[in-house]
Amino acid sequence: MTGLGRATAPLDAADLVVVGAGVVGLGAALRAADAGLDVVVVERDAAALGASVRNFGHGCVTAQDGEALRLARATRELWVRLAREAGFWLAESGAVVAARHDDEMAVLADLAAARADEVALLDGAAVEEAAGCPGAVGGARLSSDVRVSPREAVPALAALLARRGVRFHWRTAVVGVDERGVETSRGRVDAARQVVAVGHDVDLLDAGLAEEAGVVRCALRMLRVRDPRRAPSPAAAGGRALPALLTGWSLLRYDAFAVSPALGAVRERLARERPDALAVGLHLMCTQRPDGDLVVGDTHAYGDAPSPFRPEDLDDLLLDEVAALLGTDRPRVVERWEGVYASAPRPFLLSAPRPSTRVVSVTAGIGMTTGLGLAAEAVDQLAS
Ligand SMILES: Cc1cc2nc3c(=O)[nH]c(=O)nc-3n(C[C@H](O)[C@H](O)[C@H](O)COP(=O)(O)OP(=O)(O)OC[C@H]3O[C@@H](n4cnc5c(N)ncnc54)[C@H](O)[C@@H]3O)c2cc1C
């Protein structure tokens, strides 16, 4: 049956079917294939085009805490393994947080005291040397962070899985899930176990489940720019990539920084000095691509219906902030895009509507950091 109820031949049959070919769906397919299961992935688009290819590619491991830190460490191990097996670019270059105010430095000092094994304090000169960011009062190096180039890594991971026998049905939308498999726009896939990994679109398959978990959409503005400092690309620097560059805004976003009693002062100062940036959810950060361009962002707009109309002043704000951070003129924009991820009060959704089905989504902006680990846990639950 198709979604319109037209009779068709069954499309496929497997031990486990995965809905969605983003990083979470591919992580589930990987775990199931590693366990020796016959796996089918069904993806609505002709390729993975969602959040998983639109992000910074930043495995922001060190700044996580609790369950997210545990999943981030598991995911980091998988990224390193997969980069080797699938042959995509991965930089174990860590991240540098540039502190441009003393209160930010105080937060970093508290984190360094709590996590001396992976957080090292830097002075301003060391921040400039490591990350090409002048004028910081100091900073910290977060050594466990890793980075991939998502638009290359995600298709490479799908290709690796296909070589290992996972079957992909692209341009095929799942319209229903039951205990024996899934109904799709091309006919039925029979599989006794089902993993639903559709990111923020979980409400389109089960509105009640999404509403119970408080899942909404978060839309982000992103830019790819020419590096105005002309820092050598990783290829030109013998493979050495610049660390991901985080800022005081990052302290408000990642849980590990909550260890610091000084965080309140940072929040209050930013609210006082930059209500304009706070109102658009600015999180100023920047990552170097393998070709030397920078991915810079971002802004955040939460709700059920992100506006399709994109005011240019958001990009102006981002470009001014990047120029101030790097101590340069405004960089030249090469590409602009928007991405959407799932957001909810809790960072992870792992739901079992029936024994054979797991619905899994990273409901915070940390799916590249934690998604492979979370997906593995979903599959392990089904296996047990
Ligand atoms: C701009 C931006 C920057 C980010 N930066 C970072 C970062 O640097 N580090 C980090 O850790 N995280 C980051 N994130 C978050 C991260 O990208 C996401 O958490 C993660 O990619 C979510 O993966 P996913 O597989 O759940 O979703 P997606 O990548 O959106 O994949 C879901 C897939 O399901 C498919 N699908 C949906 N419905 C159906 C259906 N009915 N049938 C078939 N297929 C369906 C969709 O087409 C899609 O391909 C960022 C996100 C954005 C948007």
Side-chain angles (χ1 to χ4, degrees):
M1 242 14 150
T2 67
L4 291 179
R6 286 192 315 113
T8 54
L11 178 63
D12 209 336
D15 298 323
L16 183 140
V17 61
V18 178
V19 187
V23 69
V24 176
L26 295 178
L30 173 76
R31 184 63 151 214
D34 281 350
L37 298 180
D38 184 37
V39 183
V40 160
V41 177
V42 183
E43 164 58 50
R44 171 181 70 184
D45 284 323
L49 299 175
S52 299
V53 298
R54 298 179 188 217
N55 58 64
F56 294 95
H58 178 207
C60 183
V61 178
T62 322
Q64 307 304 325
D65 199 14
E67 186 184 13
L69 182 59
R70 182 176 60 75
L71 292 172
R73 288 182 171 146
T75 298
R76 183 191 197 284
E77 244 177 66
L78 286 166
W79 278 126
V80 171
R81 170 192 146 193
L82 291 168
R84 205 172 42 242
E85 289 178 12
F88 57 78
W89 181 82
L90 174 134
E92 293 189 74
S93 54
V96 165
V97 189
R100 293 180 289 169
H101 291 268
D102 291 339
D103 52 16
E104 295 169 2
M105 202 58 214
V107 173
L108 296 177
D110 287 340
L111 182 63
R115 300 262 288 275
D117 51 331
E118 50 187 351
V119 181
L121 293 181
L122 305 173
D123 62 21
V127 170
E128 180 161 11
E129 163 76 21
C133 171
V137 297
R141 180 179 274 280
L142 312 183
S143 59
S144 303
D145 289 21
V146 290
R147 201 156 80 248
V148 297
S149 174
R151 64 180 77 182
E152 283 95 28
V154 171
L157 174 51
L160 173 74
L161 290 168
R163 288 198 296 280
R164 289 189 49 189
V166 172
R167 294 186 299 290
F168 284 81
H169 295 286
W170 303 101
R171 292 185 61 228
T172 306
V174 166
V175 295
V177 180
D178 59 45
E179 68 283 1
R180 288 171 296 106
V182 299
E183 294 292 344
T184 85
S185 52
R186 293 182 194 274
R188 191 170 169 81
V189 175
D190 285 323
R193 290 170 247 193
Q194 312 88 32
V195 175
V196 177
V198 295
H200 56 272
D201 283 335
V202 63
D203 57 346
L204 302 185
L205 277 174
D206 192 324
L209 191 151
E211 279 162 17
E212 258 168 48
V215 179
V216 297
R217 288 163 169 68
C218 176
L220 296 83
R221 188 67 72 86
M222 302 282 283
L223 299 169
R224 172 179 173 178
V225 300
R226 288 276 126 84
D227 186 344
R229 304 159 302 180
R230 296 194 172 74
S233 69
R240 208 176 63 86
L242 290 175
L245 180 57
L246 305 179
T247 61
W249 296 99
S250 312
L251 308 183
L252 309 186
R253 294 243 155 226
Y254 298 124
D255 284 350
F257 300 113
V259 72
S260 173
L263 187 59
V266 175
R267 187 174 286 113
E268 278 165 29
R269 178 180 50 75
L270 289 173
R272 196 172 57 246
E273 291 177 357
R274 297 304 310 275
D276 58 329
L278 210 59
V280 297
L282 178 71
H283 175 199
L284 179 62
M285 65 175 281
C286 137
T287 54
Q288 187 189 39
R289 285 180 36 81
D291 60 15
D293 282 350
L294 303 177
V295 176
V296 302
D298 48 26
T299 58
H300 295 75
Y302 296 88
D304 290 328
S307 169
F309 308 109
R310 307 196 262 187
E312 189 66 16
D313 53 6
L314 284 189
D315 289 0
D316 288 340
L317 174 84
L318 272 178
L319 289 167
D320 286 342
E321 293 293 329
V322 170
L325 180 68
L326 303 181
T328 62
D329 291 338
R330 266 193 186 193
R332 186 166 91 73
V333 178
V334 186
E335 291 174 343
R336 300 168 197 264
W337 69 96
E338 196 163 78
V340 177
Y341 65 66
S343 174
R346 294 166 149 272
F348 305 110
L349 172 69
L350 178 44
S351 167
R354 68 179 69 80
S356 65
T357 307
R358 289 298 176 276
V359 179
V360 57
S361 181
V362 178
T363 45
I366 52 172
M368 294 299 277
T369 308
T370 58
L372 296 175
L374 181 69
E377 293 199 356
V379 171
D380 290 351
Q381 284 188 7
L382 288 176
S384 64

